[in-house]
Amino acid sequence: MKILKLSKHWLVLIALVVGVGVGLLIQQTDAQARIPVKMAEVSGTAQVQDTGGVKGVQIGDKVLQLGGKDVGDFTAWESLLAGQSPGGTLNLTLQREGVDDFSVPVKVEMSPDSTRARWIAPFDFIASLFMKLLKMLIVPLILTSIISGVVSVGDPSALGRIGLKTMAYYFMTSLLAIVVGLAVVNVFHPGIGAELNLTSSVGEKDFGHADASDIVLDMVPENIFGSLSSNSTILQVIFFSILFGFFITKLSGPGGGLLKQLFESGFEVMMKMAEFILKFIPIAVVALIARVVGKTGMDVFEDLLVFMGCVALAIAIHFCITLPLILRFVGRINPLSWAKAMWPAIITAFSTSSSSATLPVTMRTVKESGRASDTVSSFSLPLGATVNMDGTALYECMGVIFLAQYYSGVGPNPFELTLGIQTYVVLTALLASVGAAGIPSAGLVMMITILQALKLPTEAAFLLLAVDRPLDMLRTATNVWSDTTCAAVVSRSEGATGLAGALGDERDGEKGGDAPPPGG
Ligand code: ASP
């Protein structure tokens, strides 16, 4: 059973290839079968089913004269579409008496009793099961992660000047990462016109015209038990958890310690549960990919590759420009020397896709190779592993906007991607990155919550899960890189000398200096 010894990313890569192979095989099972088509609902007057007065339908350069027949019953129509991949969308040009030609999108659907659909069913089942398991984790994971995180930060003995600087640094860098992601996704528009072949349509949306005050109001729960029972009110859960955690630290007597322990243990249990479920990712990836490829072919990957390229670009900008600039000008540290010293942590993050699993290596690397302050590292690194996720924040924002761009161009009820929505996504991406656990694919699980809050179909996130691993490796490496830069910058601001790459304190020698005591 040597295969089990392969590291997770190799397993996921193999799963991806197997999934594609299985999907292509499934596609062959009834490639020539008659594929029923269903008219997309077209708003306004262009209802295709209402064929009165429609003279002909044009697909590519072929024109079908329809006479007065019902389009849906027209067999020539169906045989014309037989070679088309189900799941795809065709633009038909209709000619109607007395009106200019007009186009309508037509969805090519698979017959539920076709051989292909029957082959896809078991993969559909596995993929849906896995997704339900992931969704099951969301509320308890966030609740326990945030409460235990806030309790440890809010602890008066831990919070001092170092605590404040660390929190400010984490907040700022995550926000900068999101801004970079937002800029890239708005410049390249990877989602506009993408052919992702997602079938579910946008739900009733109520953020289209929301202004800032609505967004804030929406974050405050009316009834926390109501909020806890839905994945789409996760911001309310986060809001409540922050307050709850903070006031735990205000308790005097044994109750505070007890609650702290309770939520910390709860978080540990949830992490273990998540790790267990996430062990099945390779199987889920086979199922997800086989399902997509079996249904709609390989076209979807072209657009996903463009999206992945955009994410990689944004991450590269944050990793190679933004954070090094902060290191250089705020921390007065040579970024290259610091990166060289941090390499073991970055590589471990990259290959495990888990900030939490990398934490011991990060601690050792920052303290021993980076020679950062002990006090600062011991406080900021464990906190950063769950709270500071620049790569994740950037990804959440880009992923949601990518899908929103896609949904803004499909269906009878397209999504309106307004400035208000973009602002909302920035805010939620920031909070979601704080709430995400430092384990593989946690960022994607959190993305489901933002999609739900925007009433966008979560099916879309499942498509991203299929290609999540390489992006997860990149964003985890960025998360850990950012944690280490924080330790360096805050150490320097506290007067530590002798850090790897520190500029301007050569005369002090390689002291490996710890900071003067925190809090002044
Ligand atoms: N895997 C990431 C981490 O551990 C979280 C994520 O999925 O974005 O930092």
Side-chain angles (χ1 to χ4, degrees):
M1 292 306 277
K2 235 194 162 151
I3 192 161
L4 292 178
K5 295 235 169 68
L6 283 176
S7 59
K8 200 57 159 295
H9 50 280
W10 286 115
L11 278 179
V12 174
L13 190 70
I14 294 170
L16 209 85
V17 176
V18 172
V20 168
V22 173
L24 289 176
L25 281 178
I26 291 177
Q27 260 210 327
Q28 297 313 309
T29 54
D30 63 353
Q32 295 312 312
R34 217 189 66 166
I35 300 164
V37 291
K38 191 173 118 197
M39 290 300 156
E41 278 174 43
V42 190
S43 55
T45 52
Q47 269 296 349
V48 184
Q49 254 80 1
D50 166 21
T51 55
V54 173
K55 281 197 310 181
V57 177
Q58 187 180 346
I59 306 173
D61 52 5
K62 293 191 188 136
V63 178
L64 279 178
Q65 291 302 326
L66 296 179
K69 295 199 182 186
D70 180 347
V71 176
D73 290 343
F74 207 82
T75 48
W77 158 279
E78 292 192 345
S79 62
L80 189 61
L81 291 173
Q84 306 288 339
S85 223
T89 309
L90 291 171
N91 263 329
L92 302 187
T93 306
L94 300 189
Q95 299 159 346
R96 188 190 284 252
E97 309 247 29
V99 182
D100 286 346
D101 290 0
F102 57 95
S103 283
V104 286
V106 170
K107 192 112 204 158
V108 185
E109 289 199 336
M110 194 180 338
S111 163
D113 49 2
S114 66
T115 320
R116 200 194 308 194
R118 271 184 272 126
W119 273 104
I120 288 176
F123 294 101
D124 210 12
F125 171 77
I126 296 173
S128 307
L129 181 69
F130 185 73
M131 285 306 161
K132 276 199 97 168
L133 286 171
L134 283 191
K135 286 185 178 178
M136 174 184 85
L137 297 174
I138 294 174
V139 169
L141 194 59
I142 291 175
L143 188 83
T144 51
S145 138
I146 296 201
I147 294 182
S148 54
V150 173
V151 171
S152 69
V153 178
D155 180 2
S157 64
L159 195 73
R161 209 170 55 202
I162 293 180
L164 285 178
K165 282 182 189 170
T166 303
M167 290 308 288
Y169 186 94
Y170 286 164
F171 175 79
M172 280 307 301
T173 54
S174 296
L175 199 62
L176 282 173
I178 294 177
V179 170
V180 171
L182 192 68
V184 171
V185 80
N186 275 298
V187 166
F188 292 99
H189 297 122
I192 291 185
E195 292 186 5
L196 303 182
N197 300 324
L198 297 168
T199 45
S200 34
S201 56
V202 177
E204 193 197 312
K205 42 181 204 297
D206 49 12
F207 278 111
H209 307 288
D211 54 27
S213 61
D214 291 336
I215 292 173
V216 173
L217 278 182
D218 207 68
M219 281 177 59
V220 182
E222 253 172 18
N223 175 347
I224 185 59
F225 293 100
S227 314
L228 286 172
S229 63
S230 162
N231 284 340
S232 57
T233 44
I234 215 69
L235 281 188
Q236 304 182 350
V237 175
I238 294 180
F239 180 84
F240 178 83
S241 308
I242 293 174
L243 282 184
F244 195 81
F246 179 74
F247 285 104
I248 288 181
T249 66
K250 297 280 159 230
L251 282 186
S252 48
L258 221 69
L259 279 174
K260 180 172 187 259
Q261 237 176 12
L262 180 76
F263 282 100
E264 276 171 0
S265 308
F267 180 50
E268 264 173 51
V269 173
M270 288 316 301
M271 287 277 277
K272 283 197 189 319
M273 211 159 145
E275 271 161 25
F276 173 73
I277 291 172
L278 290 166
K279 274 206 175 99
F280 297 98
I281 276 195
I283 297 172
V285 166
V286 171
L288 283 158
I289 298 271
R291 180 173 79 162
V292 174
V293 175
K295 256 189 205 167
T296 66
M298 299 283 286
D299 296 354
V300 64
F301 287 111
E302 265 175 45
D303 293 306
L304 284 182
L305 272 179
V306 175
F307 168 67
M308 290 166 80
C310 288
V311 174
L313 174 69
I315 284 193
I317 295 175
H318 189 70
F319 195 107
C320 303
I321 301 177
T322 315
L323 291 176
L325 281 178
I326 296 178
L327 266 178
R328 174 66 186 75
F329 292 105
V330 184
R332 288 166 293 117
I333 288 169
N334 178 337
L336 267 182
S337 313
W338 185 256
K340 243 193 242 160
M342 292 306 111
W343 207 237
I346 294 170
I347 287 294
T348 312
F350 183 77
S351 42
T352 57
S353 291
S354 166
S355 305
S356 297
T358 310
L359 184 61
V361 185
T362 318
M363 299 274 275
R364 205 184 54 230
T365 314
V366 169
K367 286 184 188 179
E368 289 174 13
S369 312
R371 302 187 294 276
S373 141
D374 256 354
T375 325
V376 173
S377 315
S378 311
F379 170 75
S380 69
L381 294 176
L383 184 68
T386 48
V387 165
N388 182 45
M389 298 200 176
D390 295 5
T392 305
L394 172 153
Y395 178 70
E396 309 266 343
C397 172
M398 291 188 79
V400 171
I401 302 268
F402 166 68
L403 295 172
Q405 284 174 345
Y406 166 74
Y407 280 112
S408 70
V410 292
N413 179 23
F415 187 79
E416 256 181 89
L417 186 52
T418 59
L419 202 66
I421 299 261
Q422 301 229 13
T423 318
Y424 180 79
V425 173
V426 168
L427 189 77
T428 42
L430 189 66
L431 289 175
S433 72
V434 172
I439 50 178
S441 290
L444 198 102
V445 177
M446 292 301 292
M447 190 190 289
I448 297 175
T449 67
I450 308 183
L451 291 175
Q452 286 193 327
L454 290 176
K455 310 259 186 321
L456 284 170
T458 52
E459 174 198 7
F462 305 166
L463 186 66
L464 293 187
L465 181 75
V467 293
D468 189 51
R469 191 66 182 197
L471 295 178
D472 196 2
M473 294 163 82
L474 290 178
R475 55 181 198 257
T476 311
T478 312
N479 295 344
V480 169
W481 172 229
S482 174
D483 294 343
T484 69
T485 58
C486 174
V489 169
V490 176
S491 295
R492 286 286 275 171
S493 76
E494 288 291 309
T497 53
L499 274 79
L503 304 167
D505 63 4
E506 287 80 4
R507 267 163 291 125
D508 301 335
E510 302 283 292
K511 276 202 251 165
D514 208 338

